[in-house]
Amino acid sequence: MSRLTESYLSIKDGSILNAVPDTMTKSFFGFAYPQNLFYPIYTILPEVFIRLIVVNGWNAYIIFTILCNFLVLTSMYVFTNLMIKNKLRAYIASVLYGLSQFTLGLYFYYHTISGFVDLIFIPMVFYGIYQIALKNKQRWWILTFGMTLVILTDLPDSIPILLMVIITFGLSMTKFKFKEILTRFAYLCLSGLTCLLLSGFFIFPMLNALKVTDINVASPKLYDTAPMLSSILLNTDKGNFYSIGIVGTFALVCIIMSFKKMNLVFRYLTIEVIFFILLWSNQFPWQMFQNELRFLQFTGRFAYIVVFLIALIAATVFSSKTLKYLAPILTIVGISSSLALNFSSIDVNSQNMIKISSQNYNKASMSCETLDYIPKKAYVVKPILESHSVIQANKNLAIVQDQRSTSYNTVNYEIKSKNNISNLVLPNVYYPGMHVYVNNREVKIKQNQHQLMVVPVNSKSAKISVEYQKTKLQIISGCISLFTLIGMIIYLVFSKRKS
């Protein structure tokens, strides 16, 4: 929410071209923290455009949430119907997925905007790998676009989704011989490579920034975040909405009871969903993989796959007669849950969450204090970064900080001293793309032991501007992604004409 509010203010104070600021100069303490360099914002920008129309931030958030919920239901219905060719079963899958306890928890409790959008693209991703593994491998581009959209929504969430893609490809072994499997695997690789090129404008600069600045994203031990199976199935932990809930558990029981009646494909998917439940829970030996997989941050990310697969499989296990009664019941239960559950009554503080309401939306949406992407050495000087104090950063100098202002990707300082200032430490961390101007003249940036920027002043007073400018890697990778997208469009146009 903080990033979206920053984008909204950047557009409002400038132009539509400022929709994706590289650095946060109004939120995240406003010290030019490059949140969007490490965490994508592209697919959730419609919330900003809605806010530009309705003005009120809370109303824009509600409208965007409703829109996402509609698109989640629609996406699940459309792609399920394309796979199983049954509109009623597709409707059941859509309701189980879009109105699950986990989904409603993301909407009304956790306020995870990127999570809303991820739920829209997961059915598309699965349909894409379904085509490559079992059906028309020429439709590999569906997986490409689906995974690209997931990556540009929430990169950590894309890891479990990618694992789902890899495991689901094993379905090809249930139908084809070795030579055909290799051919389909080649299409899977082509899809993956194209996805990397399409999302490269974000991924490559991010990896470079992680390497150059020596960032170690703080995360709890995965085993400590993994819930018990009882919590996943029956929601035994108060205030925990990372659960499939009673309806999801009922659907899972029906799936297991129908295992022997299923065809080979759905048996495979049933085993897959059980595997992902284990990954989500503390039954998996996460202690053995803490260092290698710490970028996941918490095991709840596997919940997306579990909820999706349960909804997909459960829609196929009931008889046609049962479905006629089940459809209205599930609809009523789902809608009642979304209307009747009083999420605001939960002890939000126990979950380290901020209570969001129409009265405090603007303040709350700018109050994010999570700084995952500052260098390890800079944690010691966080108070200096948060206070924006040039004086605290230069305690050995007798200086006065007259003024501080911010604009798009820029932080400005005005300082003066009775004595000549040779070198000045700025309360800003260095990242690739940072430039500093002293009295309208660009100067060379050095770093101190905490990776704060040190610049030459050689004057008793100075106007200093810290600006972020696109790096060469961002420009080159952006061109590669653009040309790849154009190439994909040309390929699809000619393929359609040929078919």
Side-chain angles (χ1 to χ4, degrees):
M1 289 183 180
S2 294
R3 294 182 299 142
L4 290 171
T5 301
E6 178 97 24
S7 293
Y8 168 73
L9 294 174
S10 296
I11 295 174
K12 189 178 178 182
D13 297 339
S15 71
I16 194 71
L17 299 177
N18 296 348
V20 186
D22 296 282
T23 58
M24 307 289 107
T25 58
K26 297 177 179 65
S27 58
F28 293 93
F29 300 105
F31 60 89
Y33 175 63
Q35 175 73 12
N36 288 338
L37 186 63
F38 299 99
Y39 214 97
I41 193 175
Y42 307 99
T43 60
I44 61 177
L45 280 176
E47 195 272 356
V48 176
F49 301 129
I50 293 172
R51 196 186 307 191
L52 289 170
I53 297 172
V54 302
V55 180
N56 184 284
W58 174 256
N59 291 340
Y61 170 75
I62 295 299
I63 293 171
F64 184 70
T65 301
I66 294 171
L67 176 62
C68 285
N69 193 214
F70 171 77
L71 291 176
V72 168
L73 292 166
T74 302
S75 173
M76 188 64 178
Y77 173 82
V78 169
F79 288 108
T80 302
N81 189 44
L82 286 172
M83 286 185 282
I84 63 179
K85 311 297 183 184
N86 187 301
K87 292 181 179 180
L88 183 57
R89 295 186 187 278
Y91 175 79
I92 294 293
S94 176
V95 171
L96 286 172
Y97 182 60
L99 298 178
S100 70
Q101 178 174 303
F102 172 71
T103 305
L104 295 177
L106 290 181
Y107 291 152
F108 300 117
Y109 180 61
Y110 293 104
H111 305 291
T112 310
I113 294 180
S114 59
F116 307 168
V117 182
D118 271 336
L119 290 168
I120 299 171
F121 301 134
I122 290 174
M124 181 181 184
V125 170
F126 186 86
Y127 181 69
I129 187 59
Y130 168 79
Q131 289 293 324
I132 293 175
L134 292 175
K135 297 294 182 179
N136 184 0
K137 55 183 179 287
Q138 301 291 338
R139 293 184 175 181
W140 57 271
W141 51 270
I142 297 176
L143 175 62
T144 297
F145 284 122
M147 275 306 302
T148 299
L149 291 169
V150 167
I151 290 172
L152 297 181
T153 301
D154 192 315
L155 187 59
D157 282 347
S158 69
I159 305 302
I161 297 171
L162 177 61
L163 180 60
M164 177 193 73
V165 168
I166 295 171
I167 294 175
T168 305
F169 179 75
L171 283 170
S172 61
M173 293 184 288
T174 66
K175 185 175 181 180
F176 302 108
K177 294 182 179 179
F178 182 71
K179 186 176 180 179
E180 179 62 19
I181 292 173
L182 283 180
T183 302
R184 290 179 176 269
F185 180 72
Y187 276 92
L188 176 61
C189 293
L190 173 62
S191 178
L193 177 61
T194 311
C195 173
L196 181 63
L197 294 175
L198 282 174
S199 57
F201 74 96
F202 166 74
I203 290 179
F204 298 141
M206 180 207 66
L207 293 175
N208 180 62
L210 286 173
K211 180 181 178 182
V212 172
T213 53
D214 191 25
I215 292 171
N216 183 19
V217 179
S219 60
K221 292 183 178 179
L222 289 171
Y223 182 79
D224 293 339
T225 70
M228 296 184 295
L229 280 174
S230 60
S231 178
I232 293 173
L233 300 176
L234 301 174
N235 192 24
T236 56
D237 293 344
K238 182 181 179 181
N240 171 43
F241 287 93
Y242 268 71
S243 165
I244 62 175
I246 296 174
V247 174
T249 301
F250 169 74
L252 181 62
V253 170
C254 292
I255 289 170
I256 294 172
M257 291 178 63
S258 304
F259 185 81
K260 291 184 179 179
K261 300 178 182 178
M262 295 178 182
N263 61 32
L264 192 56
V265 170
F266 282 97
R267 287 185 183 182
Y268 185 99
L269 293 178
T270 300
I271 295 172
E272 185 175 339
V273 74
I274 293 173
F275 173 68
F276 274 104
I277 290 174
L278 291 176
L279 288 178
W280 182 2
S281 74
N282 61 5
Q283 300 302 306
F284 188 80
W286 283 112
Q287 303 94 322
M288 299 172 59
F289 305 98
Q290 173 59 36
N291 292 329
E292 293 79 6
L293 299 176
R294 65 178 182 273
F295 53 82
L296 284 174
Q297 298 179 316
F298 61 98
T299 64
R301 298 189 189 279
F302 293 102
Y304 293 92
I305 313 303
V306 172
V307 171
F308 168 75
L309 289 177
I310 287 178
L312 176 66
I313 302 169
T316 68
V317 301
F318 299 106
S319 66
S320 300
K321 185 177 181 180
T322 304
L323 284 174
K324 293 180 181 179
Y325 299 101
L326 192 62
I329 292 174
L330 287 177
T331 303
I332 293 171
V333 169
I335 294 176
S336 299
S337 297
S338 61
L339 293 176
L341 286 177
N342 185 5
F343 291 91
S344 62
S345 66
I346 299 167
D347 183 6
V348 178
N349 291 327
S350 67
Q351 299 290 327
N352 294 319
M353 300 285 289
I354 298 173
K355 185 175 286 189
I356 308 289
S357 67
S358 58
Q359 290 77 24
N360 78 335
Y361 181 84
N362 290 332
K363 181 180 178 180
S365 67
M366 294 291 282
S367 62
C368 183
E369 299 180 358
T370 303
L371 302 175
D372 285 336
Y373 303 104
I374 63 173
K376 289 182 287 186
K377 296 177 181 178
Y379 276 96
V380 181
V381 293
K382 277 181 67 178
I384 296 177
L385 297 173
E386 295 168 3
S387 65
H388 318 119
S389 176
V390 179
I391 297 174
Q392 289 187 33
N394 299 269
K395 292 182 178 180
N396 60 324
L397 299 177
I399 59 175
V400 176
Q401 184 173 340
D402 282 342
Q403 188 177 354
R404 176 185 177 275
S405 62
T406 64
S407 57
Y408 179 74
N409 279 343
T410 303
V411 178
N412 302 304
Y413 303 98
E414 289 187 23
I415 58 101
K416 63 183 179 181
S417 174
K418 294 181 180 179
N419 303 314
N420 191 64
I421 304 171
S422 55
N423 291 312
L424 190 72
V425 180
L426 299 176
N428 302 89
V429 176
Y430 175 80
Y431 294 91
M434 291 292 193
H435 296 259
V436 176
Y437 295 84
V438 177
N439 295 327
N440 298 318
R441 180 175 58 88
E442 185 171 7
V443 296
K444 185 176 181 180
I445 301 173
K446 294 183 180 179
Q447 300 175 55
N448 68 3
Q449 67 272 27
H450 301 301
Q451 290 186 244
L452 297 184
M453 291 187 282
V454 182
V455 297
V457 175
N458 299 319
S459 175
K460 291 183 179 181
S461 63
K463 293 183 178 180
I464 301 168
S465 295
V466 179
E467 296 183 10
Y468 185 92
Q469 300 173 9
K470 296 290 185 184
T471 64
K472 290 182 179 179
L473 181 58
Q474 282 180 298
I475 296 171
I476 293 172
S477 58
C479 291
I480 292 173
S481 295
L482 178 61
F483 291 144
T484 303
L485 178 60
I486 294 172
M488 287 286 291
I489 294 172
I490 294 172
Y491 168 79
L492 291 175
V493 169
F494 279 93
S495 296
K496 186 175 182 179
R497 287 181 178 180
K498 185 177 180 181
S499 62

